[in-house]
Amino acid sequence: MYDYLIVGAGLFGAVFAYEATKRGKKCLVIDKREHIGGNVYTEEVDGIHVHKYGAHIFHTNNQEIWEYINQFASFNRYTNSPVANYKGEIYNLPFNMNTFNKLWGVTTPTEAKQKIEEQRRKAHITKPRNLEEQAISLVGIDIYEKLIKGYTEKQWGRPAEQLPAFIIKRLPVRFTYDNNYFNDRFQGIPIGGYTQIIDKMLADSNIKLQVDYFQDKETWDKQAKKVVYTGMIDQFFDYKFGTLQYRSLTFETSLLDDTDNYQGNAVVNYTDKETPYTRIIEHKHFEHGTQDKTIITKEYPAEWKPGDEPYYPINDTTNNTMYKQYKALAAQEENVIFGGRLATYQYYDMHQVIGSALVAVQKEFD
Ligand code: FDA
């Protein structure tokens, strides 16, 4: 008999398993995928660590979490500074003085602020009714048209005038020549990839892959005193209040033998509407790779339907209300711990998942 059946070998399940086994508990970890790691999984191909589920950059402001993850890997000094390609024009992200200089030729923060203010005023938007108005009211028409509109419309699969304003609450605008995307104190990519981290976390657990919990839930449940569930919360309750909605993604990865440097940066966002993908990731640049070949991944946003990979929860009022109903049911399950991005129906960065798993551990053991 195991102490815990952990459904999902992603970061949440792995942190929980690591902490439980450290305390002498026996864990059985199952995952329906053929590998551990969930969405942080990286696969090594010709010495390049390929981020199979999109670019994963570790960043946090929390020293404890930084020290926690550093037990399992050393991190390099990668700093995320994506660029935008708008019809062949290249702009620095996040929006900063380099971006404003390229857009308008301005060189000082005062000039840039004036330009943005002038555009915001011209737009005359006091109460934004949709995402388009919201974005223009925050940063003006030029940034919106070239760097936000096309990208966002591709991401959500519909025109910006039909998207709710709440999707963009604020748009970080920086009046310094600083291309570092994150403001956090700590960031980097684990040398050797992410999978080794999960490997180490699960070293003392029994792992079974390519098994779907729901195909034989009763039998799995009998194997442990408690369940840690990191799958979709609506599926756990057999969709009794309805299906929670997501956006999905598809990834197209190519090994390019004939070039050692395809785009000169790890992440390039395509912000026009016509290019069907939203970004191209060139994996070797995450680790300053010097291989004589390269691997790129094109990321295409996709509609989600049940059975597809759920990537981004759509946290609108309808879905959030439905989630609350599921959450109330989950609270009554005495022997099940619900955690991770799917069981709590929210977008989590990696440091947040680790933080929430450690809170669950504390609640369980302290
Ligand atoms: P995760 O989804 O990883 O794990 C859940 C596991 O449960 C999966 O392996 C799944 O197969 C399994 N499972 C589900 N149902 C099951 C069932 N019925 N039976 C068996 N197994 C089942 N974060 C960050 O900090 N920096 C970044 O740059 C990025 N970038 C990024 C890009 C993209 C495209 C996405 C979608 C996400 C990010 N993230 C990120 C977020 C990061 O991926 C996320 O925080 C963690 O992967 C979440 O870990 P979980 O364990 O919660 O879920």
Side-chain angles (χ1 to χ4, degrees):
M1 184 80 165
Y2 290 93
D3 293 295
Y4 296 96
L5 167 73
I6 299 180
V7 181
L11 196 51
F12 188 98
V15 169
F16 193 96
Y18 177 74
E19 293 298 328
T21 50
K22 212 165 78 177
R23 289 165 173 81
K25 303 293 179 194
K26 278 177 67 193
C27 296
L28 171 62
V29 181
I30 63 169
D31 203 297
K32 61 183 177 188
R33 294 184 184 174
E34 61 190 11
H35 57 74
I36 58 169
N39 282 354
V40 309
Y41 174 69
T42 46
E43 181 181 61
E44 190 174 338
V45 180
D46 291 331
I48 300 170
H49 294 94
V50 177
H51 296 208
K52 291 293 270 192
Y53 300 91
H56 276 75
I57 299 125
F58 198 94
H59 61 97
T60 181
N61 246 333
N62 184 321
Q63 187 157 356
E64 267 174 53
I65 293 200
W66 181 241
E67 283 165 8
Y68 188 83
I69 196 74
N70 272 268
Q71 296 175 80
F72 306 99
S74 297
F75 281 69
N76 70 16
R77 57 155 191 85
Y78 177 80
T79 301
N80 195 31
S81 36
V83 296
N85 182 325
Y86 175 75
K87 302 187 178 183
E89 295 169 20
I90 297 293
Y91 294 95
N92 287 108
L93 298 174
F95 312 135
N96 70 74
M97 285 304 298
N98 291 305
T99 329
F100 308 143
N101 174 261
K102 182 83 186 266
L103 272 170
W104 304 309
V106 296
T107 55
T108 66
T110 308
E111 287 172 333
K113 278 181 192 166
Q114 275 169 357
K115 193 82 192 167
I116 290 177
E117 205 35 53
E118 187 187 303
Q119 294 209 349
R120 292 176 53 182
R121 242 183 292 122
K122 225 192 264 171
H124 275 312
I125 298 165
T126 43
K127 256 196 167 179
R129 287 166 304 176
N130 53 46
L131 185 143
E132 174 162 294
E133 294 186 356
Q134 171 81 338
I136 296 172
S137 75
L138 290 169
V139 290
I141 193 78
D142 288 349
I143 298 177
Y144 171 69
E145 290 273 333
K146 290 195 167 179
L147 301 174
I148 298 171
K149 183 178 163 67
Y151 189 86
T152 312
E153 291 187 340
K154 286 190 287 190
Q155 236 182 352
W156 292 97
R158 60 199 79 138
E161 315 91 79
Q162 288 174 26
L163 288 166
F166 84 86
I167 293 180
I168 296 185
K169 289 200 183 75
R170 45 178 210 101
L171 285 166
V173 179
R174 232 178 243 171
F175 295 97
T176 51
Y177 288 93
D178 179 5
N179 295 327
N180 178 357
Y181 196 80
F182 298 115
N183 282 319
D184 291 343
R185 280 174 68 198
F186 310 103
Q187 80 174 293
I189 301 284
I191 297 166
Y194 286 95
T195 308
Q196 50 154 351
I197 294 178
I198 308 292
D199 243 335
K200 288 177 197 163
M201 289 177 173
L202 296 181
D204 295 321
S205 294
N206 193 357
I207 307 168
K208 290 214 178 349
L209 297 174
Q210 288 181 287
V211 288
D212 189 331
Y213 177 53
F214 294 107
Q215 297 231 311
D216 207 353
K217 183 172 179 300
E218 260 177 52
T219 312
W220 289 115
D221 285 344
K222 279 189 201 133
Q223 303 215 27
K225 294 177 198 153
K226 270 190 159 183
V227 175
V228 175
Y229 179 75
T230 73
M232 295 191 294
I233 193 165
D234 52 356
Q235 189 176 14
F236 188 93
F237 295 108
D238 209 14
Y239 306 101
K240 69 187 290 179
F241 301 123
T243 305
L244 292 166
Q245 301 295 307
Y246 287 88
R247 284 290 290 164
S248 196
L249 295 169
T250 53
F251 300 104
E252 190 184 287
T253 298
S254 322
L255 170 70
L256 308 179
D257 273 319
D258 55 351
T259 174
D260 65 343
N261 190 357
Y262 176 76
Q263 62 183 14
N265 206 36
V267 183
V268 177
N269 289 4
Y270 284 78
T271 57
D272 63 290
K273 206 156 76 185
E274 292 72 28
T275 308
Y277 39 85
T278 43
R279 349 188 232 186
I280 298 184
I281 308 302
E282 187 169 8
H283 303 269
K284 68 188 299 182
H285 295 311
F286 285 124
E287 39 196 10
H288 314 105
T290 53
Q291 298 83 356
D292 59 5
K293 53 185 81 164
T294 194
I295 299 173
I296 60 164
T297 299
K298 292 179 177 162
E299 193 173 304
Y300 297 81
E303 285 294 329
W304 177 87
K305 53 183 187 334
D308 295 343
E309 276 297 336
Y311 284 109
Y312 298 110
I314 301 181
N315 291 107
D316 60 12
T317 314
T318 313
N319 285 305
N320 284 345
T321 307
M322 193 189 294
Y323 168 64
K324 273 191 195 139
Q325 290 178 284
Y326 285 121
K327 193 180 170 194
L329 276 193
Q332 291 164 26
E333 294 279 337
E334 277 179 12
N335 290 321
V336 186
I337 295 166
F338 293 82
R341 66 184 188 102
L342 297 169
T344 58
Y345 194 61
Q346 61 179 303
Y347 179 84
Y348 268 140
D349 271 329
M350 291 179 276
H351 62 283
Q352 296 168 313
V353 174
I354 294 173
S356 69
L358 292 176
V359 168
V361 165
Q362 214 173 27
K363 219 166 135 190
E364 185 69 2
F365 298 109
D366 293 349

